[in-house]
Amino acid sequence: QVQLVESGGGLVQAGGSLRLSCTASGIIGSINAMGWYRQAPGKQREMVATFTRGVAINYVNYADSVKGRFTISRDNAKNTVYLQMNSLKPEDTAVYYCNAKKIPTEYWGQGTQVTVSS
């Protein structure tokens, strides 16, 4: 089992910044991918940014809508993944979920609300 705990959401004005954190605990060895997804009201959950473990390197993937504004990073010693969100827009408003994939199982955090006011 893997437990994921998010923090860092909140209310911010357009153009502002927030940093989300996700700390993993439990049996975290062999996690294949870890990252962030979001779900806005009435919309499907979508990928925001992810790390995926490759054979020799790790891959970072961003949604087109956040490229250049959001940065995913990690601290392996703390088992924590971060999402730095800059130049926030009202359309970034959503519940942000941390995700970890440990094939064949997928784990989700409880979600943290990000609200961007115009």
Side-chain angles (χ1 to χ4, degrees):
Q1 285 282 22
V2 175
Q3 293 81 43
L4 303 172
V5 178
E6 304 113 331
S7 62
L11 173 64
V12 65
Q13 288 188 331
S17 299
L18 283 174
R19 189 175 82 155
L20 306 182
S21 300
C22 171
T23 299
S25 62
I27 306 173
I28 60 175
S30 299
I31 288 178
N32 306 103
M34 196 165 174
W36 294 93
Y37 289 69
R38 68 185 181 187
Q39 188 166 19
K43 294 188 177 181
Q44 289 188 330
R45 193 171 295 188
E46 62 176 0
M47 186 276 295
V48 177
T50 59
F51 280 115
T52 301
R53 182 185 298 181
V55 175
I57 62 173
N58 294 319
Y59 299 92
V60 178
N61 193 30
Y62 291 98
D64 288 342
S65 59
V66 306
K67 284 180 180 177
R69 300 188 298 122
F70 291 10
T71 302
I72 188 170
S73 62
R74 61 186 184 179
D75 184 333
N76 290 333
K78 296 181 179 179
N79 299 320
T80 299
V81 172
Y82 303 96
L83 185 67
Q84 178 66 43
M85 305 185 293
N86 298 328
S87 302
L88 282 160
K89 304 176 181 180
E91 51 264 44
D92 294 317
T93 294
V95 177
Y96 284 69
Y97 296 92
C98 183
N99 172 274
K101 293 180 176 65
K102 187 175 177 181
I103 295 174
T105 307
E106 194 166 28
Y107 300 91
W108 295 94
Q110 80 284 358
T112 184
Q113 176 71 47
V114 171
T115 303
V116 184
S117 63
S118 57

